[in-house]
Amino acid sequence: MSIAWECRDQADQAEIYYNQPLRTKVRRLEDENLTLKRLLRENGISWQARPKSIKASSPRVTRSSSRTVCRLLPHIPVEIQLRIMSFALTSAHPIVDPLCKVKPEHLLLHEKSKSNQIAIHFLATCKAYYTEGIKYLWANNSFVFTTPEAVRNFSEVPLPIRQKIKEVNFRIIAKFYDDEERTHKINRHHHPDLKKPVTLIVHRRNKENTLARRGFRTYGWYQLADFLSALLPPFDPSNRPPPGASVSSIPPSTPNLLPSLEKLRIDFLNFGEDLLSIPPPQLHELASHQLGCTLNEVVLTGLPSDESGLRVSNELAGLLRDEGLLIDHAPTMIALRNCIRPLNCDSKECHYASKVVRAMRTVNGHTHEDFHSHFFGAEFPPAPKDEGEPPYSLFHSCRTIWKKVPLKLDNIDERKWMLFDRMSGLPWDDVEDEATMFDYAGDDEEAMVCENCGDVHPGAIPPVEMMDLYDDF
C-alpha cells in the first residue's frame, strides 16, 4: 500500500477562499442597513413599511363583533414560556456544523433523516424571544464540527455564550487526491464490522506542469492542524491596541474560541494504517504550546496503530492538563461516498486504551523523563478530581490515582472508577507486575520504602540509582 503525502489541496482551498468574500459582503450590507435605519430613526422617520389603510368600520355593533372585541388573548406566564422555549430549542441529537451548510457526505444516515431537530423559528418571533432563546440554543445542545471552516464560523457566536460550552466533537474525514487512475483501499482489519476492504474516495486531479508534489496525496494531519488552529483566539476589532501604544496600555489578549472547553472528542475517519505519513511539526506547536494544558479529557477514535498514529496520539496528549485523561478508541465510523457508516461496538462496554498524562508532576515536584515540557514560567493547574468516593483498593498510594472512565463513548455520563499508575499513566491492572517487582528487591527481603512518601506500599517508587534498572525492565 502506497503512503499518501500530506498536503492542502489547492482546488479545495481556492473554493474555501471564494466563499469567504460572500460572507464579508453580507456583513457589509448588514452594517450599511443598520446605519440607514439609525439615520431614519434620528430624523423621526419610520423605517418600517407603512401599513395599508384600514377601512372605517361600521358603527353598528353586532353580537359577534362585541364578543370578538371583549375576548382577551390567552396569557402564559413568562416562566412557562421560557420552559417551552428551552424544550423547543433542545435537540435530542448533536447539531452538526452550526452556522454552516452541512455537506450530506459528512452525515450519518440517521442524521440525514433528522432535518428539523429544533424549533429554530422561535428566535424570529420577536427580539425578546431571540435574546432568551439564543442562550438555550447554545447551552442546551452539543455540537459536531466536520470542517475547520465550521469551527471558525463559530466565532460569530458572542463570547459570553461561547464561554459556557464545555465539550465539542470534531469529525475529521481524511480527503485523498491522486493524479493517476489508481484504486486505494482500507484494509478490512480496520474494524471487525468490515467484511471486505473499503475503497477510498479519491478526488482526481490533473497533472500540472509545476514543481508541486504529485501522486497520491491526502489532507489528513494538516486538516487536524487546521481544526486546532480554529480553536485559537479569533480576531476582535475592539481589542486592537492603538498605534504606538506602550506595553502597559495593551489590552489583555483575546481568549480562545471556546475558553471553557474541558472535553474534546476527535473522530478520525478513513485514517487507515500505513496510509498516511508522519504528522507535520505544526501539530506539536498547536497541541503542546498554543493550546497546551487546557483540557481535562481527550477522546480519540480511529487513529491508526502505526507510527504516525502513535505520534499524533502523543502530540494530542499535550492538550491535556496534568492528570488529564486520554482515551484512544478503535474507529467508530467510516466515510463512504454519500454518507458515513457507523461501526458499532459488540459489547456492553467499549474496549479502549486509556492513559493519565503527567500524573507524577503533581506529586512533590516529580517530573516524568518522557514529558516534553517547556512552560516558560506559566503555571497550569491540574485536571480537577472526579466527584464521588472511589472504592477501596490495597494498591492505592502516592503512586496511583483514581479516575472515572466512560463505559460507552456514546454515553460519557455513565462512568466507572479505574485505578491508574502515575509513573506510566497506564491502568494499574496492566502494570501491576512491573510496578511491584522491586518491592522486595533487598537481600534481607524487607519491603522497600517509597522514595517519594517514605511509606511502605505496593509499587513503592525506588531510589534514583535504581531507576535506570527499572527502565530497562
Side-chain angles (χ1 to χ4, degrees), residues 8-21:
R8 290 183 176 90
D9 186 67
Q10 188 274 333
D12 287 349
Q13 297 297 315
E15 181 181 357
I16 295 172
Y17 180 80
Y18 176 79
N19 293 327
Q20 286 178 347

Side-chain angles (χ1 to χ4, degrees), residues 75-229:
H75 173 71
I76 301 177
V78 177
E79 293 80 3
I80 298 180
Q81 294 184 42
L82 294 178
R83 293 188 63 179
I84 294 175
M85 188 183 306
S86 176
F87 176 79
L89 294 174
T90 302
S91 173
H93 305 277
I95 299 178
V96 182
D97 288 345
L99 306 180
C100 288
K101 184 178 180 180
V102 186
K103 296 182 178 180
E105 61 269 19
H106 291 178
L107 297 176
L108 294 161
L109 287 177
H110 74 271
E111 293 173 343
K112 286 186 175 182
S113 60
K114 300 183 182 299
S115 57
N116 298 323
Q117 303 181 26
I118 55 177
I120 193 66
H121 304 293
F122 252 118
L123 304 181
T125 305
C126 63
K127 187 174 182 180
Y129 275 13
Y130 177 84
T131 303
E132 297 297 330
I134 202 71
K135 301 176 184 178
Y136 294 120
L137 173 63
W138 301 118
N140 295 1
N141 295 291
S142 57
F143 306 98
V144 176
F145 298 94
T146 65
T147 62
E149 293 72 36
V151 184
R152 295 190 185 97
N153 289 345
F154 205 68
S155 61
E156 300 293 334
V157 179
L159 178 60
I161 297 179
R162 287 189 277 116
Q163 286 177 330
K164 299 179 181 179
I165 297 179
K166 303 292 184 181
E167 55 186 89
V168 293
N169 187 351
F170 289 167
R171 184 181 296 172
I172 305 179
I173 305 173
K175 301 185 69 174
F176 296 93
Y177 313 90
D178 203 344
D179 50 21
E180 298 181 10
E181 290 291 338
R182 292 181 290 186
T183 301
H184 304 274
K185 298 183 178 181
I186 293 181
N187 196 293
R188 66 181 183 87
H189 300 293
H190 187 65
H191 192 274
D193 277 4
L194 300 179
K195 305 303 181 184
K196 60 180 181 179
V198 177
T199 303
L200 287 174
I201 305 172
V202 180
H203 303 269
R204 301 300 178 187
R205 294 292 183 260
N206 295 327
K207 289 186 177 181
E208 300 179 357
N209 189 21
T210 63
L211 296 179
R213 179 170 286 172
R214 302 179 180 180
F216 187 38
R217 306 181 295 275
T218 180
Y219 181 45
W221 302 136
Y222 274 133
Q223 187 177 179
L224 171 61
D226 292 341
F227 266 93
L228 296 180
S229 298

Side-chain angles (χ1 to χ4, degrees), residues 275-311:
L275 191 60
L276 286 81
S277 59
I278 60 176
Q282 182 187 5
L283 182 59
H284 172 78
E285 175 67 23
L286 289 167
S288 297
H289 296 270
Q290 300 186 46
L291 298 172
C293 297
T294 56
L295 305 180
N296 300 332
E297 182 175 308
V298 172
V299 179
L300 310 175
T301 70
L303 269 181
S305 57
D306 54 10
E307 182 181 359
S308 63
L310 295 177
R311 287 195 181 188

